[in-house]
């Protein structure tokens, strides 16, 4: 590991040693009980704990040893820093882990250049003979081929990353009960709830805003994904081709998801701007804003495309939307998106440990 | 001196649990309230910052059992009427706390024996104080930080105003009633030395550096009746490497009964197996204070690992007793001979850390009466120990209405006290986990209510 990252793990070990002698925070989340199951904190343990942490910051505000106390305990910041290190550490191909450095700039450049190219290209294309005929612009096979290839690459990259995480945290076989427990934690965002009061985000007051905006984002994303999947079934199985009516299932799902994917990221952005800088890693703002922005742009162009699909703007909007979707998918394994993947894996690992602990 | 403040109904001196309970209750009665906290905002809350639970009466923990526990730890140094009143009032503390934003959790790992008697604050005492300060903000209670009460104007037993030092300037703040909830004097090193002499310089203070006892001293100088032993404090054995102040919970060390404790000369001086936690925990503070340089060394072998809470400071390790003694800068021959004599005196038995197991030594002055196992399995581990002061017992005398008794005082008073500054009325000696918070919460609420009543008259 690079020398500057070594300091992160030295600090993580120091923090966990003090926390393990205190344990006042064990009621807040999964991190502290997982810490109590350990007596040593190697980088692999700390990466696991870091991905278990949801950065709710409760433990910072509750800590009698938080700076300026001489113990200077700041768990959320250290774990946030280790979290990003872990993304790069698990990344496949390894060299692409560098994408997490200056991630905001990278994604900004990719997105704007792709959109600009698509806009220029799309404006050259005349509207198709039939209104809203997307495949008159880009043939269905090409679209499926391109996005199929991207999806396959993303799936492989993420799967390898998760496998690396799982092996490093010495995870054993996965059982159904574990999966059910972890799925509940993920889908409900249990650890952004703090038992109903909400977490201390963006400041020391409890609020459910972050959980709600995250739900809008997550379920908006899921609805958009569902919309595309339904459309694929319509196309390939029933032979029903786009465009679909405004009250058809793909459009209703896509529109609802799109609205969630506008409101969610907008809310998260609004919270992020107000986030207490003490409880996060300020160097990760680019990473966070990049993902929030790309979701927002994808959703915005998708909704515009839906509204203006019969107009002469359609070819340009379609090109721009597809460019945004392509950049979003391609960068999924090298951007903030992976937080959901590794956090889910960590929650699964946590479920496994809890069950193992109970039977012992 | 420019008087920046209007007259308040109630002035609270202090910013811990008792202070905020008083402030919230007074504000709930419709009073204007100002809280004068000597600590900066990050360190607000006095020693309540370091607490984690509150002992309360319930169906599972009835009054008589609660009082019997209190009677046992104090050796009878309690006012039964006040104590029973406090215990009964503790039964309705939790709903009040919940309604003021406090959240609870199930008891912490390693403290399961307290589950029945104590309610644990989610996140500990600082989180509790954050909840109270947020509740105070919602009620427009004025809070001054870094503001120390340096003088009290008391005329014929009635409080008029407080002189408050803030940013190097003195402010005169008038109020119709005063609640003194500013804690004891355990972080006032000069005061400690007045009582215990030069050994006090080697004491560590487990809690806030801001409990200087200034308000306590002012009240006593202005004629308040003292209560509680002025020469006693609660002290436990903590890791000698802990910071001078504010090391809190993580400086505790639970290894004493698992091995032996030697002094600077490498000699044992007390039965390490005398009793179970927490009483044993409390006695060792005083024992260490009586040793040369107020230091001791807990020595265990690798068999004891995993039997006690991990300590925040790593153990000093040696592959032989001699190596360990040298690393601890102790006389090697003396420590080796102490360990040899101890090992030779250990009688066979079935070791069980969870109970008084009767594993003991025979013919060894002083004997170790429980959990005696030979110290023979390397690596050997050592921890330096010092007395860690938790709180002091001296306070002001109060009645059931939290009013401070003044010398010769038949004057109706507008001075009330709550928390550690008056806890000696009830806890005259010893320690009962979570009971300080009980006294603070019960008397804080009473003091707030009575101060509001006094302010309206």
């Amino acid at each position: 590991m690079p020398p500057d990252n070594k300091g992160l793990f030295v600090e993580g070990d120091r923090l966990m040693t003090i926390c393990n002698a205190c344990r006042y925070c064990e009621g807040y989340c999964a991190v502290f009980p997982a810490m109590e199951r350990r007596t040593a904190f190697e980088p692999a343990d700390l990466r696991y704990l870091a991905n278990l942490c949801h950065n709710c910051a409760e433990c910072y505000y509750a800590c009698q040893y938080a700076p300026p106390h001489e113990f200077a305990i700041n768990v959320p910041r250290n774990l946030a820093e280790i979290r990003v290190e872990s993304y790069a550490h698990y990344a496949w191909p390894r060299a692409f882990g560098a994408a997490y450095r200056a991630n905001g700039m990278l994604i900004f450049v990719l997105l704007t250049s792709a959109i600009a190219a698509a806009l220029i290209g799309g404006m050259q294309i005349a509207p198709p003979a039939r209104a809203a005929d997307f495949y008159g612009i880009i043939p269905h096979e090409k679209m499926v081929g391109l996005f199929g290839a991207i999806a396959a690459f993303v799936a492989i990259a993420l799967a390898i990353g998760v496998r690396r995480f799982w092996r490093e945290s010495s995870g054993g076989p996965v059982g159904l009960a574990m999966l059910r427990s972890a799925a509940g934690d993920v889908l409900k965002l249990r650890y952004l709830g703090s038992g109903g009061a909400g977490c201390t985000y963006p400041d020391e007051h409890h609020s459910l805003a972050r959980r709600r905006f995250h739900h809008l984002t997550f379920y908006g994303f899921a609805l958009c994904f569902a919309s595309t999947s339904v459309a694929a079934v319509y196309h390939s199985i029933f032979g029903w081709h786009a465009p679909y009516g405004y009250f058809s299932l793909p459009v209703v799902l896509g529109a609802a998801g799109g609205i969630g994917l506008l409101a969610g990221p907008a809310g998260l952005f609004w919270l992020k701007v107000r986030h207490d800088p003490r409880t996060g890693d300020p160097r990760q703002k680019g990473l966070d804003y990049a993902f929030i922005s790309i979701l927002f742009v994808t959703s915005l162009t998708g909704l515009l495309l839906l509204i203006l699909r019969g107009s002469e703007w359609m070819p340009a909007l379609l090109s721009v939307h597809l460019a945004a979707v392509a950049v979003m998918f391609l960068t999924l394994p090298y951007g903030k998106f992976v937080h959901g993947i590794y956090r889910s894996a960590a929650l699964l690992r946590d479920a496994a440990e809890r069950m193992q602990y109970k039977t012992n | 001196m420019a008087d920046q403040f209007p007259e308040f109904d109630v002035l609270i001196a202090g910013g811990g649990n008792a202070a905020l309970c008083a402030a919230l209750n007074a504000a709930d009665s419709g009073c204007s309230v100002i809280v004068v906290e000597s600590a900066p905002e990050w360190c607000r809350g006095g020693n309540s910052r370091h607490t984690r639970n509150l002992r309360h009466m319930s169906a599972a923990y009835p009054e008589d059992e609660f009082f019997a526990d209190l009677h046992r730890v104090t050796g009878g140094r309690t006012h039964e009427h006040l104590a029973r009143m406090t215990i009964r009032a503790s039964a309705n503390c939790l709903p009040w706390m919940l309604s003021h934003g406090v959240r609870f959790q199930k008891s912490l790992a390693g403290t399961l024996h307290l589950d029945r008697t104590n309610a644990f604050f989610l996140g500990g005492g600082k989180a509790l104080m954050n909840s109270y300060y947020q509740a105070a903000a919602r009620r427009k209670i004025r809070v001054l930080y870094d503001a120390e009460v340096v003088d009290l104007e008391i005329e014929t037993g009635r409080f008029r105003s407080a002189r408050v030092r803030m940013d190097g300037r003195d402010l005169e703040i008038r109020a119709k009633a005063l609640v003194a909830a500013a804690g004891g004097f355990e972080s006032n090193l000069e005061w400690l030395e007045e009582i215990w002499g030069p050994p006090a310089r080697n004491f560590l203070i487990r809690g806030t550096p801001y409990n200087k006892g200034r308000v306590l001293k002012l009240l006593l100088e202005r004629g308040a009746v003292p209560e509680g032993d002025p020469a006693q404090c609660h002290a436990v054995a903590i890791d000698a490497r802990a910071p001078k102040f504010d090391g809190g919970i993580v400086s505790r060390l639970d290894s004493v009964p698992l091995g032996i404790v030697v002094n600077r000369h490498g000699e044992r001086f007390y039965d390490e197996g005398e009793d179970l936690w927490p009483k044993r925990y409390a006695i060792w503070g005083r024992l260490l204070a009586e040793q040369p340089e107020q230091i001791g060394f807990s020595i265990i072998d690798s068999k004891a690992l995993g039997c006690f809470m991990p300590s925040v400071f790593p153990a000093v390790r040696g592959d032989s007793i001699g190596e360990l003694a040298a690393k601890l800068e102790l006389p090697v021959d003396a420590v080796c001979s102490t360990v040899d004599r101890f090992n030779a005196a250990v009688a066979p038995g079935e070791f069980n850390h969870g109970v008084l197991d009767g594993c003991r030594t025979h013919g060894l002055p002083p004997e170790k009466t429980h959990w005696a196992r030979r110290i023979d399995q390397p690596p050997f581990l050592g921890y330096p120990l010092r007395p860690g002061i938790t709180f002091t017992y001296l306070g002001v005398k109060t009645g059931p209405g939290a009013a401070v008794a003044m010398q010769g005082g038949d004057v109706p008073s507008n001075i009330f006290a709550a928390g550690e500054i008056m806890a000696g009325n009830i806890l005259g000696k010893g320690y009962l986990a979570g009971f300080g918070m009980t006294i603070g919460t019960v008397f804080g609420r009473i003091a707030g209510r009575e101060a509001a009543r006094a302010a309206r008259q």
Side-chain angles (χ1 to χ4, degrees), chain B residues 372-384:
Chain B
R373 273 195 298 188
R374 292 166 58 86
I375 299 171
D376 55 6
Q377 267 183 34
F380 300 99
L381 307 158
Y383 294 95

PDB file of all heavy atoms in Angstrom, chain B residues 372-384:
ATOM      1  N   ALA B 372      -6.436 -16.642  42.786  1.00  0.00           N
ATOM      2  CA  ALA B 372      -4.977 -16.767  42.861  1.00  0.00           C
ATOM      3  C   ALA B 372      -4.533 -17.918  41.951  1.00  0.00           C
ATOM      4  O   ALA B 372      -4.909 -19.072  42.168  1.00  0.00           O
ATOM      5  CB  ALA B 372      -4.546 -17.023  44.305  1.00  0.00           C
ATOM      6  N   ARG B 373      -3.802 -17.565  40.917  1.00  0.00           N
ATOM      7  CA  ARG B 373      -3.207 -18.569  40.021  1.00  0.00           C
ATOM      8  C   ARG B 373      -1.731 -18.241  39.909  1.00  0.00           C
ATOM      9  O   ARG B 373      -1.353 -17.063  39.940  1.00  0.00           O
ATOM     10  CB  ARG B 373      -3.841 -18.462  38.614  1.00  0.00           C
ATOM     11  CG  ARG B 373      -5.091 -19.269  38.463  1.00  0.00           C
ATOM     12  CD  ARG B 373      -5.471 -19.423  36.998  1.00  0.00           C
ATOM     13  NE  ARG B 373      -5.749 -18.144  36.347  1.00  0.00           N
ATOM     14  CZ  ARG B 373      -6.239 -18.039  35.113  1.00  0.00           C
ATOM     15  NH1 ARG B 373      -6.484 -19.122  34.403  1.00  0.00           N
ATOM     16  NH2 ARG B 373      -6.464 -16.859  34.574  1.00  0.00           N
ATOM     17  N   ARG B 374      -0.921 -19.286  39.737  1.00  0.00           N
ATOM     18  CA  ARG B 374       0.512 -19.038  39.597  1.00  0.00           C
ATOM     19  C   ARG B 374       0.768 -18.152  38.380  1.00  0.00           C
ATOM     20  O   ARG B 374       0.109 -18.283  37.352  1.00  0.00           O
ATOM     21  CB  ARG B 374       1.263 -20.367  39.423  1.00  0.00           C
ATOM     22  CG  ARG B 374       1.240 -21.251  40.686  1.00  0.00           C
ATOM     23  CD  ARG B 374       1.678 -22.671  40.370  1.00  0.00           C
ATOM     24  NE  ARG B 374       3.021 -22.693  39.797  1.00  0.00           N
ATOM     25  CZ  ARG B 374       4.149 -22.714  40.519  1.00  0.00           C
ATOM     26  NH1 ARG B 374       4.077 -22.743  41.832  1.00  0.00           N
ATOM     27  NH2 ARG B 374       5.316 -22.724  39.926  1.00  0.00           N
ATOM     28  N   ILE B 375       1.694 -17.229  38.529  1.00  0.00           N
ATOM     29  CA  ILE B 375       2.067 -16.352  37.421  1.00  0.00           C
ATOM     30  C   ILE B 375       3.301 -16.977  36.782  1.00  0.00           C
ATOM     31  O   ILE B 375       4.438 -16.759  37.225  1.00  0.00           O
ATOM     32  CB  ILE B 375       2.350 -14.925  37.938  1.00  0.00           C
ATOM     33  CG1 ILE B 375       1.070 -14.375  38.588  1.00  0.00           C
ATOM     34  CG2 ILE B 375       2.806 -14.008  36.810  1.00  0.00           C
ATOM     35  CD1 ILE B 375       1.270 -13.076  39.313  1.00  0.00           C
ATOM     36  N   ASP B 376       3.073 -17.819  35.778  1.00  0.00           N
ATOM     37  CA  ASP B 376       4.195 -18.628  35.279  1.00  0.00           C
ATOM     38  C   ASP B 376       4.175 -18.835  33.767  1.00  0.00           C
ATOM     39  O   ASP B 376       5.021 -19.549  33.240  1.00  0.00           O
ATOM     40  CB  ASP B 376       4.197 -19.991  35.999  1.00  0.00           C
ATOM     41  CG  ASP B 376       2.867 -20.727  35.860  1.00  0.00           C
ATOM     42  OD1 ASP B 376       1.992 -20.236  35.115  1.00  0.00           O
ATOM     43  OD2 ASP B 376       2.694 -21.777  36.513  1.00  0.00           O
ATOM     44  N   GLN B 377       3.179 -18.260  33.077  1.00  0.00           N
ATOM     45  CA  GLN B 377       3.120 -18.511  31.641  1.00  0.00           C
ATOM     46  C   GLN B 377       3.477 -17.272  30.834  1.00  0.00           C
ATOM     47  O   GLN B 377       2.687 -16.342  30.752  1.00  0.00           O
ATOM     48  CB  GLN B 377       1.722 -19.003  31.245  1.00  0.00           C
ATOM     49  CG  GLN B 377       1.631 -20.513  31.243  1.00  0.00           C
ATOM     50  CD  GLN B 377       0.267 -20.985  30.778  1.00  0.00           C
ATOM     51  OE1 GLN B 377      -0.351 -20.373  29.933  1.00  0.00           O
ATOM     52  NE2 GLN B 377      -0.180 -22.084  31.348  1.00  0.00           N
ATOM     53  N   PRO B 378       4.685 -17.223  30.266  1.00  0.00           N
ATOM     54  CA  PRO B 378       5.043 -16.055  29.481  1.00  0.00           C
ATOM     55  C   PRO B 378       4.185 -15.954  28.212  1.00  0.00           C
ATOM     56  O   PRO B 378       3.660 -16.985  27.773  1.00  0.00           O
ATOM     57  CB  PRO B 378       6.517 -16.319  29.121  1.00  0.00           C
ATOM     58  CG  PRO B 378       6.727 -17.781  29.288  1.00  0.00           C
ATOM     59  CD  PRO B 378       5.717 -18.268  30.281  1.00  0.00           C
ATOM     60  N   PRO B 379       4.049 -14.785  27.619  1.00  0.00           N
ATOM     61  CA  PRO B 379       4.668 -13.544  28.076  1.00  0.00           C
ATOM     62  C   PRO B 379       3.986 -12.985  29.325  1.00  0.00           C
ATOM     63  O   PRO B 379       2.803 -13.190  29.523  1.00  0.00           O
ATOM     64  CB  PRO B 379       4.454 -12.604  26.883  1.00  0.00           C
ATOM     65  CG  PRO B 379       3.229 -13.109  26.198  1.00  0.00           C
ATOM     66  CD  PRO B 379       3.261 -14.602  26.385  1.00  0.00           C
ATOM     67  N   PHE B 380       4.789 -12.288  30.138  1.00  0.00           N
ATOM     68  CA  PHE B 380       4.267 -11.635  31.327  1.00  0.00           C
ATOM     69  C   PHE B 380       3.921 -10.195  30.975  1.00  0.00           C
ATOM     70  O   PHE B 380       4.614  -9.557  30.173  1.00  0.00           O
ATOM     71  CB  PHE B 380       5.305 -11.702  32.457  1.00  0.00           C
ATOM     72  CG  PHE B 380       5.653 -13.125  32.805  1.00  0.00           C
ATOM     73  CD1 PHE B 380       6.814 -13.711  32.286  1.00  0.00           C
ATOM     74  CD2 PHE B 380       4.811 -13.888  33.603  1.00  0.00           C
ATOM     75  CE1 PHE B 380       7.129 -15.036  32.580  1.00  0.00           C
ATOM     76  CE2 PHE B 380       5.128 -15.214  33.905  1.00  0.00           C
ATOM     77  CZ  PHE B 380       6.287 -15.795  33.396  1.00  0.00           C
ATOM     78  N   LEU B 381       2.827  -9.721  31.591  1.00  0.00           N
ATOM     79  CA  LEU B 381       2.327  -8.399  31.219  1.00  0.00           C
ATOM     80  C   LEU B 381       2.227  -7.507  32.449  1.00  0.00           C
ATOM     81  O   LEU B 381       1.874  -7.988  33.538  1.00  0.00           O
ATOM     82  CB  LEU B 381       0.933  -8.519  30.586  1.00  0.00           C
ATOM     83  CG  LEU B 381       0.832  -9.514  29.424  1.00  0.00           C
ATOM     84  CD1 LEU B 381      -0.592  -9.967  29.231  1.00  0.00           C
ATOM     85  CD2 LEU B 381       1.364  -8.882  28.164  1.00  0.00           C
ATOM     86  N   GLY B 382       2.532  -6.241  32.259  1.00  0.00           N
ATOM     87  CA  GLY B 382       2.449  -5.297  33.366  1.00  0.00           C
ATOM     88  C   GLY B 382       1.771  -4.005  32.965  1.00  0.00           C
ATOM     89  O   GLY B 382       1.897  -3.560  31.823  1.00  0.00           O
ATOM     90  N   TYR B 383       0.996  -3.456  33.898  1.00  0.00           N
ATOM     91  CA  TYR B 383       0.345  -2.156  33.696  1.00  0.00           C
ATOM     92  C   TYR B 383       0.657  -1.267  34.894  1.00  0.00           C
ATOM     93  O   TYR B 383       0.418  -1.681  36.037  1.00  0.00           O
ATOM     94  CB  TYR B 383      -1.175  -2.302  33.626  1.00  0.00           C
ATOM     95  CG  TYR B 383      -1.703  -3.071  32.434  1.00  0.00           C
ATOM     96  CD1 TYR B 383      -1.982  -4.429  32.540  1.00  0.00           C
ATOM     97  CD2 TYR B 383      -1.966  -2.432  31.222  1.00  0.00           C
ATOM     98  CE1 TYR B 383      -2.501  -5.131  31.459  1.00  0.00           C
ATOM     99  CE2 TYR B 383      -2.491  -3.120  30.147  1.00  0.00           C
ATOM    100  CZ  TYR B 383      -2.758  -4.481  30.270  1.00  0.00           C
ATOM    101  OH  TYR B 383      -3.275  -5.160  29.206  1.00  0.00           O
ATOM    102  N   PRO B 384       1.142  -0.057  34.662  1.00  0.00           N
ATOM    103  CA  PRO B 384       1.297   0.873  35.787  1.00  0.00           C
ATOM    104  C   PRO B 384      -0.057   1.449  36.194  1.00  0.00           C
ATOM    105  O   PRO B 384      -0.892   1.708  35.339  1.00  0.00           O
ATOM    106  CB  PRO B 384       2.216   1.963  35.217  1.00  0.00           C
ATOM    107  CG  PRO B 384       1.970   1.936  33.733  1.00  0.00           C
ATOM    108  CD  PRO B 384       1.568   0.520  33.384  1.00  0.00           C
TER     109      PRO B 384
END
